[in-house]
Amino acid sequence: MPVKSKKNYIIQFGSGKPGEMGTGGTELEVFDLIGLKNPKIGFAPFHHILHHQVNDWSLFLDLVQPITKKKIELFEFHKEKDMKSLKKRISSCDIFILGSGICEPYLEFIFSNRLDKFFTDYFRSGKHLIGYSAGSISLSSRYIHVAFFREVLIHWTMLLKADEAQKKQFRDGVLEECPSEYKEQLKKVFELTEPNKILAHPIANVEFQTISMKTLEFIPNMVMLPHFNEAIHATEEHLKASVKRYSRYRHFGVPNGAAIFHTFQEAKLIQSEIVGSNPNPKLLVTEFLKKDSRSYKVGEKIELN
């Protein structure tokens, strides 16, 4: 009788911090579903860790270390110089976590050091991958994000009381990236000093820029935004704009506390299911289509394959 090939898993959390929103049970359920006894786990945040204080690494360690007798290892990519050594250490892990942070610099690190092929081989060898926030984005088909001037103006209001050097650096950087047809209008907004007038300006509802970057492409035809409807950069408006520009992909908003659990067999995706939820029952994993949207509750399957 033929033996069935072993399954392995990719999990995309909507949260950025382990146990965010009091949902640590979701992480523990995920590791229970993976089903490994005393797994070796590696954790790589997508940002610089500030040691000696509470951060996503320390939160993960407190939450997950009790389930395994093997010490969880921290990988700080920006400190890594020897790629051969890095690959060897990651290969020793049964489960590897790509943590929260900023997508662009870490995707650049992965591709400039040709770690994309390494992670593909790592996964195809039967290992498991988990993402938080930016890490979750990196595991899907592409990093796509439409930003509105609203986010720029919110950051500007936060800088109103900063020194002139900080404000100038921000203004110059934003104006350099600003579409030419809106530069003069934005300069006039930067002259305003009242936060309410700045945020109420009509330019706030205009698209500022669209980011589209290659990712590790493990989940076919899928892009996602974490922190759905709880972050200024991850709202229904952003996802609808992304669908309009990149309709060939399926676009999902994943709230804090929820995760999409993907099951693979022989490197082929065979099932995607919702695990965990946000404490707010109205915040659900939501797929945005050209004309409408569809929400998924805990335990529901998503037909991606």
Side-chain angles (χ1 to χ4, degrees):
M1 189 173 180
V3 178
K4 287 186 178 180
S5 60
K6 193 175 180 180
K7 295 175 182 177
N8 61 330
Y9 309 100
I10 287 178
I11 298 92
Q12 295 173 290
F13 283 109
S15 301
K17 294 184 181 298
E20 196 162 22
M21 313 292 293
T23 53
T26 300
E27 277 96 329
L28 298 180
E29 182 179 357
V30 160
F31 284 100
D32 188 52
L33 289 170
I34 291 174
L36 289 180
K37 185 177 180 180
N38 295 317
K40 175 68 186 300
I41 301 169
F43 185 101
F46 269 38
H47 63 92
H48 296 191
I49 286 290
L50 298 175
H51 293 276
H52 311 300
Q53 63 178 269
V54 175
N55 51 56
D56 45 351
W57 157 242
S58 64
L59 290 170
F60 184 82
L61 203 60
D62 289 344
L63 182 65
V64 180
Q65 185 64 79
I67 73 168
T68 179
K69 293 179 181 178
K70 297 177 182 176
K71 184 179 179 181
I72 299 175
E73 184 176 356
L74 173 64
F75 292 78
E76 296 182 89
F77 283 165
H78 65 284
K79 295 181 178 180
E80 297 288 347
K81 306 299 180 187
D82 185 341
M83 292 302 110
K84 185 176 180 180
S85 172
L86 175 63
K87 291 175 183 179
K88 185 177 180 180
R89 286 160 48 223
I90 293 176
S91 294
S92 72
C93 298
D94 304 301
I95 303 170
F96 197 75
I97 318 292
L98 294 174
S100 64
I102 302 173
C103 289
E104 291 88 338
Y106 278 83
L107 286 171
E108 173 64 25
F109 173 85
I110 286 171
F111 287 109
S112 63
N113 289 291
R114 299 181 179 177
L115 290 174
D116 50 322
K117 183 181 184 305
F118 165 77
F119 277 117
T120 298
D121 293 340
Y122 171 87
F123 183 69
R124 286 181 177 172
S125 73
K127 305 297 182 72
H128 313 282
L129 290 164
I130 296 176
Y132 282 95
S133 190
S136 295
I137 290 172
S138 75
L139 293 169
S140 53
S141 289
R142 196 162 186 85
Y143 169 35
I144 295 173
H145 179 58
V146 177
F148 289 84
F149 276 95
R150 183 180 302 105
E151 290 103 278
V152 174
L153 300 186
I154 287 172
H155 288 299
W156 176 244
T157 61
M158 293 176 179
L159 285 171
L160 286 176
K161 294 183 179 180
D163 61 54
E164 287 304 316
Q166 286 180 290
K167 289 194 283 191
K168 184 179 186 304
Q169 184 180 28
F170 179 83
R171 275 196 308 262
D172 291 349
V174 170
L175 287 169
E176 186 177 342
E177 296 182 13
C178 180
S180 58
E181 63 267 36
Y182 296 108
K183 280 191 179 181
E184 292 306 313
Q185 196 173 356
L186 183 59
K187 286 179 183 178
K188 292 179 180 178
V189 178
F190 282 150
E191 294 172 1
L192 300 174
T193 57
E194 295 180 35
N196 289 341
K197 287 186 177 181
I198 294 171
L199 296 177
H201 195 282
I203 199 175
N205 299 318
V206 176
E207 291 181 18
F208 172 65
Q209 66 177 190
T210 300
I211 299 168
S212 177
M213 290 182 69
K214 179 180 173 64
T215 58
L216 294 171
E217 302 180 289
F218 282 108
I219 314 300
N221 303 315
M222 175 200 176
V223 298
M224 63 89 77
L225 274 182
H227 321 298
F228 175 53
N229 269 344
E230 290 189 297
I232 61 170
H233 58 270
T235 68
E236 294 183 14
E237 187 177 24
H238 293 90
L239 284 152
K240 288 175 181 177
S242 294
V243 171
K244 188 175 179 180
R245 286 178 174 270
Y246 296 91
S247 59
R248 66 184 181 276
Y249 295 103
R250 296 180 64 179
H251 298 257
F252 291 82
V254 184
N256 295 323
I260 306 180
F261 192 100
H262 304 281
T263 301
F264 287 74
Q265 196 163 16
E266 295 181 348
K268 182 180 179 182
L269 178 64
I270 61 171
Q271 179 177 289
S272 299
E273 180 180 353
I274 307 302
V275 176
S277 62
N278 188 283
N280 183 344
K282 293 182 180 180
L283 292 180
L284 301 173
V285 174
T286 304
E287 179 181 5
F288 284 83
L289 311 167
K290 285 184 179 179
K291 295 184 178 179
D292 56 11
S293 62
R294 178 186 172 183
S295 295
Y296 298 85
K297 296 181 180 179
V298 175
E300 282 194 271
K301 307 288 192 302
I302 303 174
E303 295 296 331
L304 288 172
N305 49 347

